[in-house]
Amino acid sequence: MKIEIAHLPHDIIEIIYPSEVTPKDVTEYVEQLKKDITARGGTEWSALVDQSRLRVMPASVVGEMARLNAYAQQRGMKRSARVVSDPGSGLQAWRMTKNAGLTIPAKTFETRSEALSWLEAPDAD
């Protein structure tokens, strides 16, 4: 299984998690996303993270994801929207955001369309 990365209009990078992730998946994903972020040259962008199929992120991965979020914020990420399947997933996403020390607007949503609408709104907070 691989974590999918797509580039959408409005300077949005979309990440789609499978139902399970392995340490190898995460290593490959982090490497690819860092290349994508660097290629943007510091221009602002937003993240749409769909983890609705991934009910709980393995504890061994949470720290790496928090570090990646901090890295992304330092390199142009201006907003982060996560699609989660249940309140437990939302709580885990909130904790990861807090542990990353993010100061940008970050929200969780139940659907991709809600998350995308929020990211595309010119004055979303």
Side-chain angles (χ1 to χ4, degrees):
M1 287 186 212
K2 290 189 84 161
I3 300 168
E4 298 175 43
I5 302 172
H7 298 272
L8 304 177
H10 304 286
D11 291 320
I12 297 171
I13 296 177
E14 181 175 23
I15 297 99
I16 303 170
Y17 283 88
S19 59
E20 295 178 17
V21 295
T22 67
K24 182 180 182 225
D25 294 332
V26 171
T27 299
E28 291 172 358
Y29 157 65
V30 168
E31 184 179 305
Q32 183 59 52
L33 190 56
K34 283 185 174 182
K35 286 179 187 175
D36 290 356
I37 291 169
T38 300
R40 291 179 169 275
T43 60
E44 288 190 337
W45 55 280
S46 296
L48 172 56
V49 182
D50 185 341
Q51 60 187 77
S52 59
R53 289 185 277 172
L54 180 65
R55 301 205 40 98
V56 177
M57 190 170 290
S60 60
V61 172
V62 172
E64 183 68 26
M65 293 298 99
R67 286 187 291 280
L68 180 60
N69 275 279
Y71 176 91
Q73 178 179 278
Q74 294 168 355
R75 287 161 182 81
M77 184 171 69
K78 64 181 180 177
R79 284 181 284 172
S80 177
R82 289 186 180 272
V83 181
V84 297
S85 59
D86 58 47
S89 298
L91 181 59
Q92 186 180 45
W94 177 82
R95 285 182 180 149
M96 188 171 43
T97 300
K98 183 178 177 187
N99 289 342
L102 295 187
T103 57
I104 60 168
K107 290 186 176 186
T108 57
F109 298 88
E110 292 181 1
T111 68
R112 180 185 182 275
S113 62
E114 291 173 326
L116 193 55
S117 292
W118 178 71
L119 291 174
E120 291 176 336
D123 58 350
D125 55 8

